[in-house]
Amino acid sequence: MVGRKRFGVALSGGGYRAAGFHIGTLKTLHKLQLLDKVDVLSTISGGSITGAAYCLHQGNFLAFEAEMIEILSTKSVIKYVLGSWLFLRAALPSLITILLSIYLLFTKWAFCSIFILGLFFYLLIRFQFKLFPLSRIIEKAYNRFFFSGETLEALCDRPELAIGSTNLQTMRHFTFSKRKMEDSVYAYYPKPILFDNKGFPISRAVMASTCVPFAFTPVYINAEFFKDPNLASTVKPMLVDGGVYDNQGVHKITQNNSSYACDIVLVSDAGNKVPFDKSYNNTFTLLLRTVETFMVRIKNFQMIQNIYNADNKREVAYQSLGWDLEGCVKGFYDNLKNRNISSALASAHNLQEEWIDTPHLYKEAIIKHLSANCNLQSISANSLSPERLSCIRQIGTNLTVLKAELIKDMIVHAENLTELQLRLYCPSLFSKSVN
C-alpha cells in the first residue's frame, strides 16, 4: 500500500512473450523499491505464468529473474505436449485411421474408407476434448516447469495474486487467488455457489487462465472444490483464456465493487501492434483473427473507460510492448490536449495554468518540461535499437522456447516503459510521503 492508497499491477496475456516481458515490469518495480508495496497482482494468460511464479518465489528477485529466463529459453510447453504419452495415445490411433482410409481408397474396399473417415470425424467432433485432453497435458508441463506441485495456499500474502480466466457458462470473469476462487454471478443464485480453493493446483489455475479457445480443452472445476459438493451438478464452470473477457487483467483492479480494487494501477501489456500480414487462406485463420479483433475492441473500450478518462479518480499508468519511449511523453501531451488528464495529475507535474488551458500553444514547452520531470534522458540511455525492438515485436504468443537474448531485450524494454509511464501517470508513487 502506498500511503492510504492500494497499488495494483495488471499483467496481460501473450504466451511466453508476455511471461518474458512482464519480468521487466516487475524488475523496475523492484529497482524503484515499489514491488513490496504492490497490494494486488492481477494476471491474465501468459502474465499468469510470471505472476504465479513470482508469488511462489522465496529468494531474491535477481534469482527469480535468472530462473525465469532459464525456463523460458529452454522449456517448451508445446514440445512437452507433443512428446507426452497422453497426446501420442490419441494421435497415433488417429493417424493410423487416416492412413488406413487412404490405403483402402486404392483397393476393392474403397467404399469402407468413407465409412471409417465418417465415423472418425464424428467421434472427433463428438468427443474432441476427451480424445485430446491438451489442457491436462499443458497443466502437467506448467507444474513441472514452473510450479512444482504447489497449490493456491502456497501463494504469498502480498501481493495478492488474482489469476483471471473466462467462464463460458456465465460469460464473466472467474478468478483464482489464495483468499478465494469465484465467479460473482454464482453468488446471486437462489443458493449461492461457493468454491473451496484449498488444495487447488496453481498449475490448473494458470492453465485456465491460458486456455486458448479452439486450441486447448476448457478447464472444469471438480466437485471436490465446491464448498457444497452437492451443488456441483447445478452449475458447470467452463473456463478458457482470461483474455477473452479481459486481456489486460485490468478489470478486477479497476472495478469499485471488487475486493481487488486499487487506487493506483499499472498495466503491463505485452500486446503487439504489428499489423497482421499473413494470408487468410482458411476458415481457422480467419476465425482466429476475428476473435483477436473482438479482444482488441474490448481492450480499447477498457482503456477509454478505465485508463484515459479524466474523470477517473485512479492514477493509471499503461505501457505496451508496441510502444516507443519517445512516444510516451508526446502521448501524455496528446491526452492533456484531449482533456484526458485530471487536474490533480496536471498539478502533480507542476504544469502551468496556461499550458493546461491552451496546450496546443505550448506543445514544445510542455514536452520539454515533462521529459525533464520524468527523467526521459536517463531512461532512454538504455533503450533498444529499432532493429532489436523489431525483433521482440515479432515474437509470437505461443508456448515455445525463446532465445535468451530476446527475453533480455523484452525485459529491458519493459523496464524503460514501466519507469517512464509510472513517472508520468503515477507521480504519487515517487512522492516523499510514500511509505
Side-chain angles (χ1 to χ4, degrees):
M1 182 174 289
V2 181
R4 295 182 179 179
K5 296 181 178 180
R6 281 166 56 85
F7 181 24
V9 176
L11 305 181
S12 80
Y16 268 16
R17 180 178 74 194
F21 182 75
H22 297 318
I23 296 171
T25 300
L26 299 181
K27 187 174 182 179
T28 289
L29 294 172
H30 171 70
K31 289 195 301 184
L32 295 174
Q33 298 183 347
L34 293 172
L35 190 52
D36 61 350
K37 295 179 175 62
V38 176
D39 294 283
V40 180
L41 192 59
S42 174
T43 64
I44 295 292
S45 197
S48 295
I49 297 174
T50 297
Y54 172 72
C55 289
L56 281 174
H57 193 70
Q58 300 299 319
N60 61 53
F61 187 87
L62 293 180
F64 160 75
E65 178 187 10
E67 183 179 344
M68 283 296 293
I69 293 174
E70 172 69 18
I71 295 173
L72 295 176
S73 62
T74 61
K75 305 295 184 181
S76 170
V77 172
I78 300 304
K79 184 177 180 180
Y80 180 94
V81 169
L82 295 178
S84 70
W85 167 243
L86 274 176
F87 181 81
L88 293 176
R89 188 180 67 183
L92 286 177
S94 300
L95 180 61
I96 292 172
T97 300
I98 293 173
L99 292 176
L100 176 62
S101 300
I102 294 174
Y103 169 77
L104 290 176
L105 286 174
F106 301 96
T107 70
K108 64 180 180 179
W109 304 101
F111 68 92
C112 292
S113 66
I114 299 176
F115 171 77
I116 293 173
L117 282 176
L119 179 61
F120 169 74
F121 284 112
Y122 168 78
L123 292 175
L124 181 62
I125 294 172
R126 183 72 176 81
F127 301 106
Q128 175 189 344
F129 294 154
K130 292 184 178 180
L131 293 173
F132 290 91
L134 295 183
S135 290
R136 285 172 53 196
I137 307 173
I138 295 173
E139 179 186 330
K140 290 183 178 181
Y142 285 160
N143 193 51
R144 175 174 292 186
F145 298 162
F146 299 101
F147 308 125
S148 304
E150 297 288 4
T151 64
L152 293 177
E153 297 163 278
L155 293 170
C156 60
D157 293 319
R158 183 172 181 180
E160 180 177 19
L161 179 67
I163 300 173
S165 64
T166 303
N167 185 0
L168 293 182
Q169 185 185 43
T170 62
M171 295 188 289
R172 294 291 297 274
H173 224 45
F174 194 103
T175 307
F176 300 88
S177 71
K178 181 177 182 177
R179 177 164 50 98
K180 60 182 177 179
M181 57 191 230
E182 66 172 0
D183 179 332
S184 58
V185 172
Y186 294 143
Y188 297 98
Y189 273 48
K191 188 172 184 179
I193 309 294
L194 303 176
F195 299 92
D196 185 357
N197 63 352
K198 292 180 180 178
F200 196 89
I202 292 176
S203 56
R204 191 171 304 167
V206 173
M207 180 60 245
S209 185
T210 60
C211 186
V212 179
F214 315 118
F216 304 145
T217 315
V219 174
Y220 301 94
I221 306 296
N222 297 338
E224 64 186 287
F225 297 111
F226 282 70
K227 289 283 188 180
D228 183 351
N230 295 321
L231 297 177
S233 60
T234 63
V235 298
K236 192 173 185 179
M238 183 182 291
L239 309 181
V240 297
D241 196 307
V244 174
Y245 192 84
D246 167 25
N247 197 41
Q248 280 65 55
V250 73
H251 178 78
K252 281 289 182 182
I253 54 178
T254 57
Q255 298 301 302
N256 293 327
N257 60 347
S258 170
S259 62
Y260 302 102
C262 293
D263 307 290
I264 304 173
V265 172
L266 166 64
V267 183
S268 179
D269 181 9
N272 189 356
K273 288 193 171 183
V274 175
F276 183 82
D277 54 5
K278 298 179 182 179
S279 300
Y280 297 101
N281 51 9
N282 58 66
T283 302
F284 185 71
T285 305
L286 187 62
L287 181 60
L288 285 179
R289 189 57 175 176
T290 301
V291 171
E292 288 176 356
T293 302
F294 289 149
M295 292 169 68
V296 168
R297 178 69 183 91
I298 295 170
K299 169 182 171 179
N300 292 339
F301 176 79
Q302 287 182 325
M303 290 176 67
I304 294 171
Q305 183 80 8
N306 300 317
I307 300 175
Y308 298 125
N309 183 349
D311 296 329
N312 189 355
K313 303 300 183 182
R314 294 182 174 86
E315 293 180 60
V316 183
Y318 176 93
Q319 55 95 340
S320 173
L321 172 64
W323 288 7
D324 295 324
L325 282 175
E326 296 74 15
C328 291
V329 175
K330 183 181 180 299
F332 188 99
Y333 164 79
D334 290 337
N335 286 322
L336 179 67
K337 185 175 64 174
N338 294 328
R339 306 299 177 187
N340 289 326
I341 297 297
S342 68
S343 57
L345 182 53
S347 176
H349 281 293
N350 297 314
L351 297 182
Q352 298 178 24
E353 188 173 337
E354 59 268 27
W355 293 0
I356 299 172
D357 293 337
T358 54
H360 62 283
L361 298 178
Y362 303 96
K363 179 177 179 179
E364 291 185 8
I366 294 171
I367 290 179
K368 182 179 180 180
H369 173 82
L370 290 170
S371 298
N373 210 34
C374 298
N375 298 338
L376 176 60
Q377 184 176 0
S378 174
I379 295 172
S380 297
N382 195 36
S383 62
L384 301 179
S385 67
E387 294 75 21
R388 291 164 71 186
L389 282 173
S390 177
C391 288
I392 63 175
R393 288 168 181 164
Q394 292 177 26
I395 298 173
T397 58
N398 50 41
L399 297 170
T400 56
V401 295
L402 303 175
K403 292 182 179 179
E405 295 77 11
L406 291 178
I407 299 173
K408 291 175 182 177
D409 276 353
M410 283 197 295
I411 291 172
V412 169
H413 191 48
E415 285 183 81
N416 295 335
L417 288 170
T418 299
E419 180 173 356
L420 182 55
Q421 290 297 89
L422 283 177
R423 291 188 181 278
L424 281 170
Y425 292 94
C426 301
S428 67
L429 290 175
F430 303 93
S431 68
K432 294 181 180 180
S433 62
V434 173
N435 292 331

